[in-house]
Amino acid sequence: MCGIFAYAGDENAVPFLIEGLRAVEYRGYDSAGIAVVDEHGDIRTVKRGDHKASLENLAQTVIGGELSGNVGIGHTRWATHGEVNQKNSHPHTSHNSSVAIAHNGIIENFLQLKDELIESGIVFLSDTDSEVLAHLVGIAVESGASLRESVVRAAARIKGNTAVVAVSVNEPEKVVGLRVGNAGGIVVGSNAHSSVMASDTIALLPHTRQVVYLEPGEVVEIEAGAVRLFDLDGNAIYRQPVEIGRNFEAAKKGNYAHFMSKEIAEQPDAIQSAMRGRANFATGALSLPEVELTQHQIKSIDRVVLTGMGTSLHAGMFGASVIESLARIPSVAENSSELRYRDPVLGPKTLVVAVTQSGETADTLAAMEFARQAGSPLAVVLEIDGSQATRVADFTLPVRAGQEIGVASTKTLIASMTTLLQLAVFLARARGAISENRVAEIVGMLAGLPSYVSAALDLDSEVSSLAGRLSEFADLLFLGRGAQLPVALEGALKMKELAYIHAEGYPAGEMKHGVNALLGPDMATVVCAPTNNLYEKMLSNISEVKARGGEVAVIATVGDESAQRVADHVIYVPECPELLQPFVTVVPLQILAYRTALVLGRDPDKPRNLAKTVTVE
Ligand code: AGP
C-alpha cells in the first residue's frame, strides 16, 4: 500500500511528482505530500492530509507555485500508524531537515526504535512508524555517511518489509531508493534528462518504457540521466532494463464517470484478451503455452490448492470448482493469510495456483513463498506483469485484462476466471480426463463468452432501480450454491467495499443452520439463481426468506417465470452454458454495488479505508 514517486532531472520536479503521484494514488489516498530539494539546496516539504482530496489539494497548492527544484520525492499514503492528517503525511524529515524520506511498509519494531531515538533527544513530529526511518537516515548522514550508506544502515535497524526513497541536502542531485522484503516494489527508469522511480511502472510511462525492478535487498541511486544499482554490501549490480508492455491510456478515465464503470464496461474485451493465443475458435483447440509443467508432473498432481485474497480468492474458488469438475483433481481454494500460517501439507504433487491482480499482495506472496519452499509446483494467475509474484512463481499465467485502477476489482476478476477455466480445460485434457471433442465443445462455448457478458452489461437500468431500493437497507444477504457461491461472496464483498452496507455472502444451504434467525423485513436478500441443477433448491431458499417477511431480489436466467412469482425483484441475465453462468451473474452484482454506492454518495473509485494494493499484512 502507499504510492511512491521520485524524480531527479534537468527540469522542475514538482509537476512530475504530482503527475507520478496521480498514477500511484490508487495505492493509498489518505494523504499526499512531496519533498523537493530547492535551488538553495534546502529540503522543502508540502503535505496534505485531507483524506481523498489530499492529492488534488496538494496539486492546487504546488502546481504553478514558487516551490521548485530538480530533485524530489512524493508519497500517497494508506494509513497504518497514526491518523489521517497533515502531520502524519509523508515525506517525513529528520530532526534538522537534512533528510526527507517517503516509506511504504510497516516498521514492526518502531516503538522500540522510537523510544531509543527519543532518549537520544530526537523530537518526533508525527505518530507514524515511518518517521523513525527519517531520523535513522538523518543520524547516519550527519555522521558523514553517504545517503546510500545511510539508507542501508537505517534499513538494517528495522524489522518488516519496506520500500523507501530518500533525499539529503548533502547530495542534492540524488534520490536513493531501497527495497527490503515484499512491501511493494520499486521500479526505476531514466531518459537523457531525468531518472525516476516509483511503486508502479505505470507512473514511469511518461518518462521511459525501459525499466529495472528492484529485488528485495537492493538499493538504487538516481540522478539526472543516471541509475546505479547496488546490493546492501555496496556491490554494483548490472541488470538489463526490460520494456514496459503496459499502456498509460489504461490509467485514464476517458468519458466514464469512474474507473470502476470503465473497467466494468471493458470486461468483454478483458475476456477476449485472456483467451488470445489460448483458445482457438477455428480449430476448437486450446493451448496454454505459459504452463511450465512436464507431462509427468501434470499426471502426478494429486491436489490443486488455489490461493489469494478478496476478489482474487473468489476467482480462485471458481477455479477450484472447474479444475475439480473438469480435470477430476481434488481442488480447494484457501485464503492466503490462513494458508501461510497453518503449516499446510504441500509438496511436489500439489499444484499451487496463486491468484493476484497486483502480484504484490503481502499474504499471497507469503503463501506462495511457503509453497515454493514446500517444493510444490507454483503458478500465478496475474495481471501486473513484472510484479514480485512473477519472480516467486515457477510460471505465470497473465490474465491480460489491462491495468485496473478502481480499487474494486472487476475486469481482473473476469479475466482471472477466464484464465482459470482455460487452465482447468488444459489440465483436464493433459490428464486424459476429457476428450478432444469436449475441449472443442468448451472452446465453442468460450467463443460466446464476451457476448454473454456484453448482454449482462446492458442490465444497467434494471440494476440501478434495484440499487435504489437496496440502498435503504442496513443489512443484506447474498446467497449462492455451487459455482454461484463465489459469485454471492463477491456480490457481498463489493457491496461492503463500495456502498459500506453490511452484507454477508452465504452458501444457501447453510441458512437453516443459524442464518435464518436474521431473516425479516429489515434485511434484504439477493439470490444468485440462474437456471441449473441447483435451481429448485434455490427456489426453496427464496420461499423460506419470503415466508419470514424478507424482501428478495433474484439474479435469474431470462425466461424464468417462477422467479418472478416468488421474488420481489428479478434481474434477468442472458441464457448461457452452465459452465459460464458465474461470468454473467457476477456482472449485475458489480453494477449493483457500483450503483448503490452512487445512490449513497460514496466514491466507488476510492472506498474509505482501502487501497488497491495491500502490501502489508
Ligand atoms: C476487491 O474489490 C479488492 N480489490 C480486493 O479484495 C483484492 O481482490 C484483494 O486485495 C487481492 O488483491 P490482489 O488481487 O492484487 O492480490
Side-chain angles (χ1 to χ4, degrees), residues 202 246-247 249-252 259-274 311-312 315 357 381-384 399-419 453 457 490 494 583 586-587 590 612:
I202 199 88
R246 289 157 73 194
N247 179 356
E249 287 308 304
K252 296 187 178 152
F259 280 110
M260 187 181 176
S261 49
K262 173 176 176 259
E263 289 156 4
I264 288 174
E266 286 171 346
Q267 292 186 107
D269 290 342
I271 292 168
Q272 295 273 23
S273 185
T311 296
S312 288
Q357 174 277 136
V381 172
L382 171 96
E383 174 56 35
I384 302 293
V399 305
R400 306 191 293 228
Q403 173 98 19
E404 189 174 70
I405 303 287
V407 166
S409 300
T410 51
K411 65 176 179 173
T412 55
L413 167 78
I414 284 266
S416 300
M417 287 165 58
T418 309
T419 307
V453 169
L457 291 172
E490 178 64 9
K494 284 283 167 288
F583 292 85
V586 80
V587 171
Q590 295 168 337
K612 180 80 181 153

Side-chain angles (χ1 to χ4, degrees), residues 309-312 355-358 361 364 407-409 493-494 497 614:
M309 300 296 287
T311 296
S312 288
V355 185
T356 169
Q357 174 277 136
S358 62
T361 301
T364 308
V407 166
S409 300
L493 175 65
K494 284 283 167 288
E497 179 180 25
V614 184

Side-chain angles (χ1 to χ4, degrees), residues 307-309 313 334-342 362-364 366-367 617:
T307 189
M309 300 296 287
L313 176 62
E334 186 169 352
N335 181 298
S336 302
S337 67
E338 293 297 318
L339 183 69
R340 66 181 287 191
Y341 287 120
R342 88 180 161 75
D363 284 312
T364 308
E617 273 190 83

Side-chain angles (χ1 to χ4, degrees), residues 471-484:
S471 67
E472 294 167 20
F473 287 86
D475 299 290
L476 297 174
L477 193 60
F478 287 73
L479 299 182
R481 277 175 195 259
Q484 292 300 318

Side-chain angles (χ1 to χ4, degrees), residues 67-117:
L67 178 65
S68 87
N70 293 347
V71 170
I73 59 177
H75 187 269
T76 56
R77 176 172 184 241
W78 186 86
T80 59
H81 296 63
E83 283 174 37
V84 177
N85 56 29
Q86 192 152 315
K87 77 171 183 181
N88 290 332
S89 308
H90 296 220
H92 293 289
T93 48
S94 59
H95 73 107
N96 60 0
S97 294
S98 60
V99 158
I101 63 101
H103 170 232
N104 177 18
I106 288 180
I107 300 174
E108 290 164 10
N109 55 338
F110 95 98
L111 279 177
Q112 177 204 328
L113 292 169
K114 188 170 178 173
D115 287 347
E116 190 186 297
L117 288 162

Side-chain angles (χ1 to χ4, degrees), residues 278-466:
R278 294 170 175 167
N280 185 330
F281 305 124
T283 64
L286 186 137
S287 62
L288 271 187
E290 301 93 345
V291 174
E292 289 176 27
L293 294 172
T294 62
Q295 186 62 21
H296 172 73
Q297 270 178 309
I298 293 176
K299 288 250 157 107
S300 63
I301 293 168
D302 62 11
R303 194 163 62 113
V304 182
V305 173
L306 294 102
T307 189
M309 300 296 287
T311 296
S312 288
L313 176 62
H314 299 154
M317 290 174 73
F318 168 79
S321 86
V322 287
I323 291 172
E324 186 150 316
S325 70
L326 291 171
R328 310 308 303 157
I329 314 173
S331 303
V332 290
E334 186 169 352
N335 181 298
S336 302
S337 67
E338 293 297 318
L339 183 69
R340 66 181 287 191
Y341 287 120
R342 88 180 161 75
D343 197 16
V345 178
L346 301 174
K349 290 187 174 180
T350 302
L351 171 64
V352 176
V353 181
V355 185
T356 169
Q357 174 277 136
S358 62
E360 286 187 44
T361 301
D363 284 312
T364 308
L365 286 171
M368 289 175 72
E369 199 58 61
F370 187 95
R372 189 167 74 149
Q373 276 168 25
S376 291
L378 178 60
V380 63
V381 172
L382 171 96
E383 174 56 35
I384 302 293
D385 186 25
S387 55
Q388 181 63 11
T390 54
R391 293 188 279 276
V392 180
D394 295 327
F395 63 93
T396 300
L397 294 167
V399 305
R400 306 191 293 228
Q403 173 98 19
E404 189 174 70
I405 303 287
V407 166
S409 300
T410 51
K411 65 176 179 173
T412 55
L413 167 78
I414 284 266
S416 300
M417 287 165 58
T418 309
T419 307
L420 286 164
L421 178 51
Q422 292 173 102
L423 177 63
V425 175
F426 174 85
L427 292 173
R429 182 63 202 129
R431 290 166 66 94
I434 58 173
S435 65
E436 287 291 349
N437 284 347
R438 177 69 176 141
V439 174
E441 195 186 329
I442 296 172
V443 169
M445 292 177 195
L446 284 172
L449 183 55
S451 46
Y452 298 131
V453 169
S454 282
L457 291 172
D458 291 340
L459 297 167
D460 192 53
S461 68
E462 293 92 311
V463 177
S464 292
S465 327
L466 178 61

Side-chain angles (χ1 to χ4, degrees), residues 1-6 20-21 23-24 26-27 74-76 103-104 163 165 183-188 197-204 213 246 360 384 387 613 615:
M1 347 217 13
C2 300
I4 289 173
F5 185 82
L21 291 184
V24 294
Y26 71 88
R27 303 171 70 92
H75 187 269
T76 56
H103 170 232
N104 177 18
V165 292
I186 293 187
V187 57
V188 197
M197 66 178 128
S199 309
D200 184 346
T201 49
I202 199 88
L204 267 51
Y213 295 95
R246 289 157 73 194
E360 286 187 44
I384 302 293
S387 55
T613 309
T615 57

